[in-house]
Every structure is written in C-alpha cells, then in structure tokens.
Amino acid sequence: MKRRAFITLIGGAAAAWPLAARVQQAAMPVVGFLDPRSPDGMTERLRGFRQGLKDTGYVEGENVAIEYRWAEGQFDRLPALAADLVRRQVAVIAALSNMVAFEVKATTTTIPIVFIATEDPVKLGFVASLARPGGNATGINFYSGELTAKRLELLREVVPAATRVAVLVNPTNVLTTESTLRDVQSAARAMGLQIQVVNASTSHEINAAFATFVRERPDALFVGLDVFLNNRRAQLVNLASRYALPAIFSNRDFAEIGGLMSYGSDIKDAMRQVGVYVGRILKGAKPAELPVVQSSKFELVINAETARMLGLTVPDKLLATADEVIE
C-alpha cells in the first residue's frame, strides 16, 4: 500500500471513531432524574439508584444516560425543571418526592414516571390502584408517613418522663402535614401526651420556632416528614443540640449529622427499587402494569453520642434492635 493511501485510510478511520462514539451515545436511552434537594449528601441514594439500574442491565455512561435536575431546595423551580426534561423527550423520569411527582404528572401524560411517594399514592392521585396503576406512572410507596405513630412511641421510650412534645411541620406541604398531625395527635392521646404544633416553612421560621421552645420548654421534639425540613436538617440538628432538646426525625440523614434518632423506610433501598423500575420500563414494561412497590425495609438509627450529650439513657432493648448505633 502506498504511503499516501495508508495515511488516508488511517485518517478516515480516526475521523470515524468520534462519529461512531457520537452515534452510540445518541442511541442510548436517556433517563430524567428530578430531585427537590441538592446533590450534597446524596451519594448513597445515587449509589442505590444506579445499583437498581445495574440490576436490570443498565450502566450509566455505557448503555444509558441520565439527565440530572436538582431544585436545590428552591421548590418553585420544579415546574421549569420538569418541563425541561419533558421537552428533551427523555425515555422515563424518576420523580423523587411527592411534590416532584405532582409537577411531572402535571407536565406529561405520556412519558413514563417512576415516583417515590411518602404516603398512599392512590390517595395522592398518582395511580388508580396499587396493583394496576394505570396511566403513565408507578413507583415506590416509601411509607414514611405511615410510621408517624411508631416514631412518637420510640421518642417516648428514650424520653420516658416526657409529657409535652412539640411537633414541627411545614404548613405549605398540606397533604403530608394534615396526615402527620392526624396520626401524631391520635398516637399522643393514646400515650397521654400533650402536643404543641409549631409551623415552619422558611429558615427564619425554624429559628423562631426554637425561640418559642426556649420559652415554653417542651420535653421533646417530633420533626414531621417534609422535603423542606429535610433540606434544613443541619439547621434543625444544630438548634436541637444547642437547646438540649431530644428530637426524632424521619430519616437517617438527621441522625448521621448529630440528630438523636431517626426511624423510617430505608431510603437507599427505595432508590434501588426506583432504579429497577426505570430499567424495566426501558426494557419495554408499561408503568400502567407495574404494581406500586410497598417499601418493606425500615431502619432505626440512634446517635448514642448525642444521647449522652443530652444526658439520656437509651434502653438496652432499643439499642439491641437499632439498625445502627452511632458512637
């Protein structure tokens, strides 16, 4: 082969490589991932999501692409972020909170949606039934809302002398807050506890709530399930520590940074299940025919160091049954 012909052949092949790579990348299905939080502290959740995809044969960057959208706690951005994913015609959207699922369902009736719901998704209007969702959405019932009474019982076990418990909720999250207050008030009556409901939907209102606690001195604090309150977990944990107020939270994110204790569904496992359903839909399954998964793994996390700082003795029985004790 002449030198000039050889150079032409090699040059043509080299030029074709990027083109082939671009064609392969373009052929990848694209998954939309919409979360109301920021990516900070989401490492384990993302690992669970990617594991679920891998379980169904998909690896990010190899045979599936993911378009991440984070609201960074600015929930008014959710409609625009949802519309952007729909405009990009992604193959499926992972909607990772109640409010995200509401926005995505309002934006598309055709693109498949896999949601995480913290309450009954039938009651929330996401699906027609758990067994046969119908429409373009299915997902995971995270069950955090249904665990309200159990959280109050656990708090009472750690603070047995408590007679009055403050309940912090976000009034703008209407459905979740109504459900939380209904369940916590019912459980409190059964245990002979008085409940003091305090509302907060901004960082300033959280500070004001704790100023109220200083004056009125509740025996313990129950923090309601809510994306905004979860997003302000560092502020909540720091204030509870500063004012020596025993508190229970809905997920391990709080206990890991110094909160006294948390009880709720295993979020990493729920994220894995979301990844599995996304993968199954990419393979051709219809969301209308995929039953809503009922979260079955729950975890109790106790921060023993915080308990000692508060002068509390956690019962041995509780320590033995905890999924994790942070020393």
Side-chain angles (χ1 to χ4, degrees), residues 182-265:
R182 181 179 62 249
D183 292 345
V184 80
Q185 287 167 349
S186 174
R189 281 194 298 272
M191 287 185 275
L193 290 173
Q194 296 177 4
I195 291 298
Q196 175 189 358
V197 178
V198 181
N199 294 317
S201 56
T202 67
S203 178
H204 174 74
E205 288 176 351
I206 290 174
N207 288 333
F210 276 85
T212 300
F213 299 155
V214 171
R215 293 192 304 270
E216 301 185 4
R217 297 307 306 172
D219 300 310
L221 172 64
F222 180 104
V223 176
L225 172 70
D226 177 68
V227 171
F228 165 73
L229 294 177
N230 182 264
N231 210 47
R232 299 304 306 171
R233 58 189 177 275
Q235 180 185 7
L236 288 164
V237 168
N238 288 337
L239 287 169
S241 175
R242 183 187 308 171
Y243 297 116
L245 191 59
I248 190 165
F249 305 93
S250 60
N251 67 67
R252 66 181 301 128
D253 293 350
F254 291 87
E256 287 176 345
I257 62 171
L260 174 61
M261 61 194 301
S262 66
Y263 182 69
S265 298

Side-chain angles (χ1 to χ4, degrees), residues 18 34 67 74 91 99 121 142 146 154-155 168 175 199 208 218 226 243 248 265 281 283 292 302 318 327:
L34 181 51
E67 286 282 345
Q74 300 175 47
M99 65 177 68
F142 191 45
E146 288 88 339
L154 290 167
L155 183 60
L168 183 67
L175 286 176
N199 294 317
D226 177 68
Y243 297 116
I248 190 165
S265 298
I281 289 170
K283 285 182 177 293
V292 173
I302 298 172
L318 214 55
E327 294 289 350

Side-chain angles (χ1 to χ4, degrees), residues 49-322:
F49 177 70
R50 291 172 181 139
Q51 182 60 53
L53 281 172
K54 188 175 181 180
D55 290 346
T56 55
Y58 290 96
V59 177
E60 183 179 6
E62 292 184 11
N63 59 356
V64 68
I66 303 176
E67 286 282 345
Y68 296 97
R69 297 293 182 272
W70 305 93
E72 304 278 355
Q74 300 175 47
F75 306 132
D76 58 343
R77 296 178 57 200
L78 288 173
L81 293 173
D84 180 51
L85 290 174
V86 170
R87 187 165 51 250
R88 290 173 181 268
Q89 297 183 320
V90 296
V92 57
I93 298 176
L96 300 170
S97 79
N98 291 354
M99 65 177 68
V100 171
F102 275 121
E103 292 296 346
V104 177
K105 277 188 63 65
T107 307
T108 179
T109 58
T110 56
I111 295 176
I113 300 165
V114 180
F115 56 75
I116 281 184
T118 56
E119 296 178 71
D120 180 357
V122 176
K123 182 177 70 175
L124 293 174
F126 296 164
V127 295
S129 76
L130 298 179
R132 295 189 65 82
N136 64 322
T138 186
I140 317 302
N141 184 1
F142 191 45
Y143 266 136
S144 285
E146 288 88 339
L147 303 178
T148 296
K150 180 63 175 178
R151 284 192 200 100
L152 191 61
E153 292 172 10
L154 290 167
L155 183 60
R156 181 68 176 276
E157 285 190 54
V158 177
V159 194
T163 59
R164 193 157 60 92
V165 176
V167 177
L168 183 67
V169 292
N170 176 7
T172 65
N173 189 351
V174 178
L175 286 176
T176 300
T177 293
E178 286 179 352
S179 175
T180 296
L181 293 180
R182 181 179 62 249
D183 292 345
V184 80
Q185 287 167 349
S186 174
R189 281 194 298 272
M191 287 185 275
L193 290 173
Q194 296 177 4
I195 291 298
Q196 175 189 358
V197 178
V198 181
N199 294 317
S201 56
T202 67
S203 178
H204 174 74
E205 288 176 351
I206 290 174
N207 288 333
F210 276 85
T212 300
F213 299 155
V214 171
R215 293 192 304 270
E216 301 185 4
R217 297 307 306 172
D219 300 310
L221 172 64
F222 180 104
V223 176
L225 172 70
D226 177 68
V227 171
F228 165 73
L229 294 177
N230 182 264
N231 210 47
R232 299 304 306 171
R233 58 189 177 275
Q235 180 185 7
L236 288 164
V237 168
N238 288 337
L239 287 169
S241 175
R242 183 187 308 171
Y243 297 116
L245 191 59
I248 190 165
F249 305 93
S250 60
N251 67 67
R252 66 181 301 128
D253 293 350
F254 291 87
E256 287 176 345
I257 62 171
L260 174 61
M261 61 194 301
S262 66
Y263 182 69
S265 298
D266 184 332
I267 183 62
K268 183 180 176 181
D269 185 64
M271 289 290 285
R272 182 191 63 79
Q273 291 171 325
V274 170
V276 167
Y277 262 19
V278 167
R280 289 182 63 181
I281 289 170
L282 292 177
K283 285 182 177 293
K286 299 182 184 303
E289 299 170 359
L290 287 174
V292 173
V293 175
Q294 304 292 302
S295 198
S296 59
K297 294 180 68 175
F298 309 106
E299 55 182 1
L300 169 63
V301 180
I302 298 172
N303 193 309
E305 181 180 0
T306 299
R308 288 191 293 270
M309 183 184 69
L310 293 170
L312 297 172
T313 300
V314 181
D316 291 339
K317 180 183 71 173
L318 214 55
L319 291 172
T321 58

Side-chain angles (χ1 to χ4, degrees), residues 18-34:
L19 176 61
R22 288 197 299 271
V23 170
Q24 182 181 11
Q25 186 175 24
M28 284 185 190
V30 179
V31 172
F33 182 104
L34 181 51

